[in-house]
Amino acid sequence: MAWLRQHASEVTRDGMARYAIPADKALGVSMADIKLLAKRVGRDHALAGALWATDCYEARLLSSLVDDPARVTSAQMDRWCGDFDNWGICDTLCFNLFDRTPHAWLKVEQWASRREEFVKRAAFALLASLALHDRSTEDERFLGCLPWVESAAVDERNFVKKSVSWSLRAIGERSPSLHQAALKLSRKLAMPARTAAEKWIGKDVIKALQRPAVAKRLARRENGPSSSKDHRSS
């Protein structure tokens, strides 16, 4: 914590408000500095728990980088998810830690039907993270998640809506078959009779999946393994 305070900046903290990050719990430390400290610290499950308990924004970001995914329990994921109060913490934990735990798929299923804004966002941020990072899971499992995506697409809340869109885009970029399935659902969501949130998600995903760069990446994946890129959206 002393190291984080030494590397804090009021300018950085004040700028967080532009990205809907509550500055009252933040010090103003850049993500680059947090990653540097994480490399120095290494994996430390007990430290991660202590950092989380501080309720400091940067300390909680650091916990996602130093915790040991193999030691993270289902109960811990539920507790921490219940503490989420902004998209930055939610997405960073899902993208750096939760998707590497043995409980990731279970939590997508459990959280997808929850009402709390950032718990529901976590379900689809976690699904997006799995789509981007989990290269061993078969397409069928992601196809099975599309009904959850469609069900959540009616949620008008901005932070939920954007995570649902992110998850559908990420699924659609995994393989040619998932690309077609995601496009089919997106076109269905974009139909005039659908709600405003559904139409926004449908159009957003159609635009993303029809980019030439996506077609090239899918073509490469047909010929061999390829690394994923971060396409997160706030």
Side-chain angles (χ1 to χ4, degrees), residues 123-188:
F124 295 96
L126 183 51
L127 178 57
S129 299
L130 286 165
L132 291 166
H133 295 153
D134 182 355
R135 306 314 303 175
S136 63
T137 296
E138 298 294 332
D139 286 358
E140 285 73 18
R141 191 158 201 179
F142 288 97
L143 287 171
C145 296
L146 293 183
W148 302 339
V149 172
E150 182 174 6
S151 178
V154 299
D155 197 315
E156 297 283 351
R157 291 174 294 182
N158 186 56
F159 291 120
V160 175
K161 180 176 68 175
K162 288 190 173 183
S163 70
V164 173
S165 175
W166 179 24
S167 68
L168 188 52
R169 294 197 317 268
I171 289 172
E173 292 188 23
R174 278 186 65 86
S175 70
S177 62
L178 287 175
H179 184 264
Q180 290 303 311
L183 272 177
K184 181 179 179 180
L185 176 55
S186 299
R187 290 173 179 136
K188 182 180 178 182

Side-chain angles (χ1 to χ4, degrees), residues 5-6 13 59 63 65 69 71 78 83 85 87-88 108 131 140-141 143 150 163 196 204 210-212 225 232:
R5 292 188 185 97
Q6 291 170 0
R13 187 189 63 188
S63 70
L65 297 169
R71 297 187 63 187
D78 285 332
D83 290 339
D85 59 1
W87 70 267
V108 172
E140 285 73 18
R141 191 158 201 179
L143 287 171
E150 182 174 6
S163 70
D204 186 53
Q210 289 183 334
R211 289 179 296 128
R232 83 185 63 190

Side-chain angles (χ1 to χ4, degrees), residues 67-164:
D67 207 344
D68 181 355
R71 297 187 63 187
V72 173
T73 66
S74 175
Q76 177 187 335
M77 292 175 72
D78 285 332
R79 286 196 310 272
W80 287 18
C81 185
D83 290 339
F84 292 166
D85 59 1
N86 65 81
W87 70 267
I89 289 289
C90 174
D91 292 8
T92 302
L93 265 291
C94 290
F95 195 81
N96 289 334
L97 178 64
F98 284 177
D99 71 325
R100 292 162 171 80
T101 70
H103 320 289
W105 283 102
L106 174 63
K107 293 308 168 186
V108 172
E109 181 177 2
Q110 290 178 343
W111 296 342
S113 60
R114 293 281 291 274
R115 178 59 187 167
E116 303 95 321
E117 183 173 15
F118 288 106
V119 176
K120 195 163 190 176
R121 180 181 176 102
F124 295 96
L126 183 51
L127 178 57
S129 299
L130 286 165
L132 291 166
H133 295 153
D134 182 355
R135 306 314 303 175
S136 63
T137 296
E138 298 294 332
D139 286 358
E140 285 73 18
R141 191 158 201 179
F142 288 97
L143 287 171
C145 296
L146 293 183
W148 302 339
V149 172
E150 182 174 6
S151 178
V154 299
D155 197 315
E156 297 283 351
R157 291 174 294 182
N158 186 56
F159 291 120
V160 175
K161 180 176 68 175
K162 288 190 173 183
S163 70
V164 173

